[in-house]
Amino acid sequence: MTARRLKTGGRIDRSRELSVKFDGKSLPAYPGDTLASALLAGGQQIVGRSFKYHRPRGVVAAGVEEPNALVHLRSGDRHEPNVQATIVEAFDGLISTPQNAWPSLQFDVGAVNGLLSRFFGAGFYYKTFIGPFGGTKFWMFCEHFIRKAAGMGQAPTLPDPDHYEKINAFCDLVIVGAGPAGISAALAAGRKGDSVFLVEQDRDLGGSLLSEPVGAPSDAWLAQARAELSDLPNVQILTRTTAFGAYDCEVFGLVERVQDHVLAPEEGKPRQRYWVVRAKRAILATGAIERPMVFAGNDVPGVMLTSAVRSYLNRYAVLAGERIVVATNNDSAYTAAIELAKAGAKVTICDLRQAAPPPFVESARKAGIDLRSGHAVLKVSGGKSVKAAHVVRISPGGKIEGNATRIACDLVTVSGGWAPALHLWSQRFGKPQYNEELDAFLPPAEKGTFSCVGSLVGSPSLRDTLSQGHKAGGTIGKEPALFGHADHWGRNLAPLTVIAKANGRTPGKAFVDFQHDVKLADIDQAHLEGYVSVEHLKRYTTSGMAADQGKTSNLNALARMAELRGLAIPSVGTTTFRPPYTPVTIGAVVGHDHGLNFRPTRLTTIHGWHKHNGSVMIETGAWLRPWYYPARGEDINDAYIREAAHVREHVGIVDVSTLGKIAVQGPDAAEFLNRIYVNGFKTLPIGKLRYGIMLREDGFVFDDGATTRLSEHDYFMTTTTANAANVLARAEYLIQTAWRDLKVHVTSVTDQWSAIAIAGPKSRALLTALTGAELSNDALPNNHFADVTIAGVGCRLHRMSFSGELAYELYVPAKRGRQIWEELIAAGAPYNLKPYGLEAMGALRIEKGHITGSEIEGRTTLKDLGLEGFASSKKPFVGSVLRKRPVLEDPARPSLVGLEIVGNTSTRAGSLLYALNAPTKGHGEGWVSSVTYSPALKMNIALALLSRGPERFGETIQVVDFVGNQTLQGKVVSHHFFDPEGHRQNG
Amino acid sequence: MLRIPCPVCGLRDETEFSYGEDASVRRPDMNEADQKVWHDYVFIRDNPRGPHKEYWHHVSGCRQWIVVDRDTLTHEIFGSALACEVAA
Ligand SMILES: [Zn+2]
C-alpha cells in the first residue's frame, strides 16, 4: 500500500501543521485529520498486531467500526489504551504508540503464535480450562503467558488527572445521528418548536455527506442546514457525542467528549460529560456500516472497506493506494471506484455479480476502470502489505470457477453490503427483522415512540433519506431535495461475502472477526462440534466479543453459520445488542461520585465540636459518628477502655443524634404501635416511654427502640441508626395499604432532633444543676420523660439507659444541638464529665448484654435473642404467626449467650464456636456477634449465638477465628454480664 | 431506567423509587392465625410475565406507596394510582 496525501481537496485545514506522532515517528497532519488519516498519509501500513496470531494489521475503516487500528494514546497519567485511531481527532502534541506488539511492529515475537494456530482455534480457552491437561492448574499456568502475549492495550496505572461530569436533561425528541436523515429530521422538528437533542458522534454534522467530494452539491445544503439549526434555540446540537445506550421509557445515555480532541483539557472544563437524556420520542438516524468480505488474506494491511477508502479520499485527501482492486457484491462501491480512478489510481473492479446495472458499467468504463463482472477476490497475498489480489470467476450460483488470476495491486477495497447500525434500536426492542433483498437486519420505520430513518432502514437514495427524516421530524418547512451518491447501497445486492473454494476452505487464513482473530475455519469448527445457537457460537469462538462488539463481523459470522446449517439467515437469528454502542470510559459514568462524594455524608449538628476536640470519626451508614476521643498517646483500645470506665465511675455524654426518630400521630397511633411492636403499647401512659421490638413479616427480629407517649395522640418513636429508613418505609407501607382503616401518620423527625445520651452515676446531679428541674427517682423514674429548659432552649429529657448506668437521653431541637452539648460540657466540669464515642458505647452495652445490629442481623428470632418474654400473647402483631414456625422453635437453634474469654487475648466477631473436644470443622455450633474488653469485669467478653446456649452456662468452649487463625477458649455465661438486676439504671 | 408516573409528583426517574412487592396480593387480616395463610402470603409469590400490578414507594419524593401497572416483559408502564386509594 502506497498511500499518499493529495495536493488538493479534503476537509482539512492545510494552513496549519500539527505535531502528531505514532511509535516515535512524526506524521503529516492537519486540523480536520484523524489519527488514522494521518497514519495513512504518513505511509504507516502496520498499526498493530492481531490479538491471537500477532499478524500485522492496518487501518480497515474510517469510523467506530475499526477493528484493527487500536493504539495507546497520550502518555503518563493520561495514557489511554485500546483507542481507535479512526475516531481520534488529530491535535497538536498527539503522541500515540502501538500496543500488543513486542518488541516492535515490524518484528513481533508473538507472531510465533501464528504457527501454533491449531491451539488457538475455536474454544481454545474452554478446552484448556476443562481439558485433559489437569484442568484448572494447566489453565492457570498458561494464563500468565497468554495474557502477556495476547491481551489488548496496557491499562493505565496512574490516577486520572481529569474530571468528568454528569448532566440530566429532558427533551421532546432525541435524534441520534446527524447525517442527511438526522439533519433533515432535526430541521423539521426544530421548526415545529420541539425541544430537540441532535446527537452526533463525529466532530461535524453531516454523516456520509462529509465523505462526498469537497464542492459536491450537498456541501451547500449542509452549510445552510447547519446555520438554520444553530439558529434554532430549541435544538441542542451535541457533536463529539455518542448515544451509547437506549433504555426503557426513552431514556438515553450519551457521552460527550468535551475535551478529548485536545492534548489536555482546558482549565475548568471536564474531559467528558455523561448525559442522561429523557425524551418523549426518538428518531434513530444511525446509518449503516459496510460489511467486509471473507477471503484468504483479507486481514493483510491494505485490505480496507470501500466506504472508508472513499472517506479518506474525499474528507482527508488521502489516496490509500495506487493500484486498487475493488471487490464488491453491490452498487455502492462504484462511486468510490470512479472517484479513486479520477484521483489517479489504477482501478480494477471485481464485481461478483454477473452484471452490474448498465449506468454503473458505463461510468466505470469511462473512468478507465478494468471492470470484471462475475469475479471475486479469492485471496490476497502479501505479508506486511498487499502485493496482489488473486481473482477468480464466480458462477451465477455463487461458486468459484477455474483458476485464479493474479492482479498486482497495493490496495484491495471490499464492499460486502451494509449492516445498519441498529444497536440502539435493538437494545430497546430486541430482535430486528431480516431483509432478504438487502441481506441485512433492519429495524421497522416505526415502533412505539421510535422512528428509524435513512440507511438504518435501507433507504434507497439520498433523496429518500432526506424525505424520511423530514417526515419523521414532523414535516414542517420545505422538504430538502438533494440527489447524490450517498446511501444507494441496497440495490441489486448479491448476498455473498465468503469466497471459498469448492471444498469450503480458503487458501490461507480468512478472518471473520479481525479484533479477536476469529477465522472462518473457527466458525466451521464450532459448527462441526455441534454448536447451533448464534449466542453459543459467539461465546465459543469469541466472534463479536472484542471491544468493537462485532460491528464488522457479526453478519459474516452468522451468515456462515446459516450456510453451514443449510438454513436461511433469519432462522439462525442474530445475537443480542447491549449497551454501550461504543466503549465508555469509567470516568464518565462515575463523574464526581467518587471518594467522599460517592454518596452524601450525614453529619450531626454537633459534628464540628467532635472534630474540634480531636474525635476520631467512624462511618456508620451515611453518618460520621465520634468513634473515640484519644488523649495524648492513646490508641483506640486505651481510649475506649478509659471512656467506658469513666462512664461507670463519673458521667459521660455521647452524641446519639443518628438514632432514627419518627413522629407517630393520630387517634389510632396506639393501635398502630400495638400492631408493629411485639409488646403491648395501648397501655403506655402519657409521660412514659417503653422499649419495643419489631419483627419482619417472616417472624425474624427487624428492629428495636423506645417509643415515648408525648400526649394523647402523639408518640415519638426511635429506631436504630441503621434501620431508620426501613422502619419508616415499612410503617408507611402498612398504613397506606393493609391498614388504611387506621387514622395515623408517621413522619421522619430524625433531622429535627439532636440527641445526647448522658450516662453515669453523676448524671442526675449534673442535669439537676443544669436544668433546675426536679429529677429525683420519684419525680422522674426510669422510662419516663420530662420537659426541661437549658439555656432557654426547650428540650425533652428521657430517662432511659443503654449503658446500664443511671442515664438519660436529651432531645434537643437540631439547630441547638451543639449549643446544648457545649452547655453540658461546661456544666459538667465539676462532675468530671467526659465525652465518649461509639466504641465505648459498644463496650458498655455488651457488658450490659444489650443487642444491636450485630445481633439483630436478619437471622435471629425473639427466642434466639432471649427476648421472647416481650412478645404479647394477647394481641396479633407483625410476624406473630410466622415467628412460631416449627423450624424457628427448634431448641437447638443458636441463642444469645455471653462468653468470658479465657486469657488476655481478645477474640473477633465472626469467630465460630465448637465444643471443647470437638474437631473444629464445618460451621460449628454458633458464632461470636460482638466483642469487647470489659473494664468493669477486667476481662475480654463477647456476645455470641450458641446452639442451646442458655442450657450451657458454665461450659467452656472453643472460640475459633479462622480469619485470624486463632483458637481461644471461652466460658459460657449469661449475656447480662454487668449489674443484671439493673440497680444502677433504676436507682 | 424506568420513568414512573407518580400520581402526586408526576413522571419521575426510577431511581427515586424503591420497588415493594406484588400489588395484587392482599395482606392477610391482622387476626388471621393460620400459619399456612401467612406462609403463602410471605413466601409464595408468582413471577408473572406480562402485565402486572406492583407496589413502588416514592421514597425520594412524596413518600407515597403507589400501585404501578407495568408489563414485566416490555417494561411498558400503563399508569399508576395511590396505594391508599386502590390497594388490594
Ligand atoms: Zn411522588
Side-chain angles (χ1 to χ4, degrees), chain A residues 168 170 247-249 251 276 278 428 675 697-698 725 728-730 732-740 876-882 884-886, chain B residues 1-3 13 21-22 25 27 30-35 38-39 41-43 55 57 59 63-66 74-75 77 83-88:
Chain A
N168 288 295
F170 301 81
Y247 303 94
D248 294 309
C249 303
V251 176
V276 179
R278 298 140 186 93
R428 181 73 175 77
R675 291 184 187 183
E697 295 282 12
D698 62 3
L728 183 69
R730 193 67 197 163
E732 287 167 330
Y733 175 77
L734 290 166
I735 291 168
Q736 293 172 32
T737 61
W739 299 347
R740 280 178 285 164
F877 50 85
V878 172
S880 59
V881 175
L882 290 186
K884 299 219 164 191
R885 279 179 284 159
Chain B
M1 181 174 67
L2 299 175
R3 300 266 291 152
D13 283 359
E21 55 185 308
D22 185 344
V25 175
R27 192 176 186 276
M30 267 321 274
N31 293 309
E32 175 62 60
D34 186 343
Q35 266 190 14
W38 282 100
H39 174 271
Y41 165 67
V42 172
F43 296 108
Y55 281 127
H57 191 197
V59 71
R63 306 272 326 168
Q64 291 299 299
W65 283 87
I66 62 176
T74 63
H75 289 192
I77 292 174
C84 64
E85 287 168 5
V86 302

